[in-house]
Amino acid sequence: MKKHVYIVYTGGTIGMTRTENGYVPTPCYLEQQIQKISELKSDLMPDYDIHEYDPLLDSANMTPDKWVSIAKDIANNYHKYDGFVVLHGTDTMAYTASALSFMLKGLDKPVIITGSQIPICEIRNDARGNLITAIMIAGNYKIPEVCLYFGDKLFRGNRTIKVSADQLDAFDSPNYPPLGTVGVDIKINWDRILPKKNRSIQVCEFSRHSIGTLRLFPGISAEVVENFLQSPLQGLVLETYGVGNIPDQDRKLVNILRKASERGIVIVACSQCLRGTVDLGAYAAGSVLQKSGVISGYDMTTEAALTKMFYLFSQGLPVDDVRKMMQENICGEITIP
Ligand code: ASP
């Protein structure tokens, strides 16, 4: 029996056209182009339906409310389709992929997020290939998780980072190997894929929370950090150096972080490095964080840590539980040493 794929089209370069102000998403254009792709009419390809969002977005305009709409759209159509493709701009694709992985509880079907660096309106583009392969994977491979497909690689969504503004392999998953590679054949590494949950699908909606990220740099002023940590901030992803170091000789800064933790702000240390894990016990410049109530984000990306905080705060959990669960594996986003 033919497989059936639901395509959620949110916007992004993939369906943009040129204007005097640069590329903009153009309603109905992508669907017209897709209808012209003869490969998609092959008996070997799944059937598909496209739901084009209004307005189509440059993903720079994506918000947590819109993540919820995408998750609900997938859940509402869950039983009618074998798999899902989300067409999305590359700029915030890793955030949406991470957010959906936390929101879609009980997901046992593939959700493949993709887009392109060059729009389908250009003669030479990566839109066509990414789209065709994403539909094939969504329809034919029973991968029970949110994935990101780009540059011939299938990644776990909540492990991805956009690493290039202009290369066609724009994404990487530095701390988790690809779930699949696409060459002459589509090869899925089944041993890297999450187990099936055998539960019903459920959307854990994100509610509004004040969560931020802050990247340390040499000479960052304690006052700037103090201002950042003012109410209503509830959670902070602190992008620290290396394995989780901060300038521990700046006692003012250390005290500000400690006091913020005591006030109930959840501070999670991630690394500015792409690869490797935070280890707050490795250096004195890191253990000072541990003593200040800052918790380790281990090898999570900033995108995953941020959206995980949204998810946990949205469950209405007490702060101590949010801290505890930030350091637990929920859907393959973290490697606990
Ligand atoms: N600015 C675009 C977006 O994120 C970039 C892209 O899609 O590649 O929507």
Side-chain angles (χ1 to χ4, degrees):
M1 218 177 68
K2 258 203 149 194
K3 302 287 191 215
H4 217 163
V5 170
Y6 186 67
I7 304 177
V8 175
Y9 173 32
T10 69
T13 294
I14 190 163
M16 291 191 186
T17 55
R18 284 169 189 253
T19 71
E20 57 192 20
N21 295 322
Y23 288 124
V24 288
T26 307
C28 303
Y29 177 76
L30 183 65
E31 190 162 356
Q32 285 161 11
Q33 299 309 305
I34 291 178
Q35 277 163 10
K36 292 184 202 157
I37 301 178
S38 53
E39 289 91 328
L40 292 179
K41 300 189 176 100
S42 157
D43 283 346
L44 300 172
M45 285 298 289
D47 284 335
Y48 60 88
D49 292 311
I50 303 181
H51 178 190
E52 177 175 303
Y53 282 15
D54 179 18
L56 290 169
L57 293 182
D58 185 302
S59 76
N61 294 305
M62 194 44 76
T63 60
D65 289 349
K66 292 177 178 127
W67 295 334
V68 174
S69 305
I70 299 170
K72 282 185 174 169
D73 193 2
I74 291 170
N76 289 339
N77 288 285
Y78 191 73
H79 298 292
K80 290 186 245 157
Y81 294 89
D82 298 287
F84 301 84
V85 170
V86 178
L87 300 179
H88 195 289
T90 59
D91 288 345
T92 63
M93 191 182 283
Y95 290 90
T96 300
S98 299
L100 290 179
S101 74
F102 295 113
M103 259 189 274
L104 290 169
K105 282 273 143 234
L107 181 74
D108 270 341
K109 294 183 180 179
V111 173
I112 315 290
I113 308 195
T114 193
S116 69
Q117 291 280 64
I118 310 175
I120 205 160
C121 66
E122 301 295 349
I123 294 173
R124 194 178 57 79
N125 67 67
D126 55 334
R128 211 165 166 278
N130 285 352
L131 179 73
I132 293 172
T133 308
I135 295 175
M136 267 186 159
I137 296 174
N140 298 326
Y141 296 82
K142 293 182 192 300
I143 301 170
E145 54 175 299
V146 177
C147 309
L148 187 151
Y149 176 71
F150 224 94
D152 296 335
K153 292 202 178 82
L154 186 73
F155 300 112
R156 173 165 300 152
N158 58 31
R159 291 287 192 156
T160 56
I161 299 180
K162 183 174 179 183
V163 290
S164 175
D166 55 9
Q167 299 290 119
L168 300 187
D169 50 352
F171 287 86
D172 199 359
S173 165
N175 284 323
Y176 198 75
L179 302 181
T181 46
V182 176
V184 173
D185 299 311
I186 296 178
K187 286 202 182 113
I188 304 296
N189 297 300
W190 291 102
D191 54 333
R192 295 177 187 160
I193 288 180
L194 294 174
K196 278 193 88 168
K197 292 108 204 157
N198 296 317
R199 284 172 25 201
S200 55
I201 187 83
Q202 191 202 338
V203 176
C204 295
E205 289 186 38
F206 286 4
S207 40
R208 285 177 194 231
H209 293 283
S210 196
I211 294 167
T213 67
L214 184 67
R215 186 178 173 90
L216 292 179
F217 57 88
I220 188 167
S221 98
E223 284 75 22
V224 167
V225 177
E226 188 169 30
N227 281 334
F228 204 90
L229 288 164
Q230 292 309 304
S231 173
L233 195 78
Q234 294 170 275
L236 177 73
V237 179
L238 187 64
E239 294 192 335
T240 58
Y241 305 127
V243 290
N245 299 320
I246 64 156
D248 64 325
Q249 289 178 1
D250 186 341
R251 298 316 298 172
K252 205 167 168 202
L253 176 71
V254 173
N255 277 332
I256 285 166
L257 292 171
R258 183 178 48 77
K259 283 193 188 138
S261 294
E262 285 168 5
R263 289 202 311 275
I265 298 179
V266 177
I267 307 179
V268 180
C270 286
S271 177
Q272 294 181 11
C273 299
L274 278 185
R275 288 175 218 287
T277 188
V278 164
D279 174 4
L280 295 181
Y283 293 87
S287 60
V288 73
L289 282 178
Q290 231 167 7
K291 290 182 196 124
S292 308
V294 174
I295 56 170
S296 174
Y298 296 113
D299 63 349
M300 267 188 296
T301 62
T302 295
E303 291 87 336
L306 186 94
T307 53
K308 187 172 177 176
M309 262 202 225
F310 265 107
Y311 165 71
L312 294 174
F313 277 117
S314 300
Q315 307 293 298
L317 298 171
V319 165
D320 283 343
D321 289 3
V322 173
R323 288 198 175 114
K324 185 170 155 279
M325 289 191 69
M326 279 304 292
Q327 299 179 99
E328 290 172 5
N329 180 21
I330 295 177
C331 46
E333 76 284 0
I334 193 170
T335 315
I336 309 290

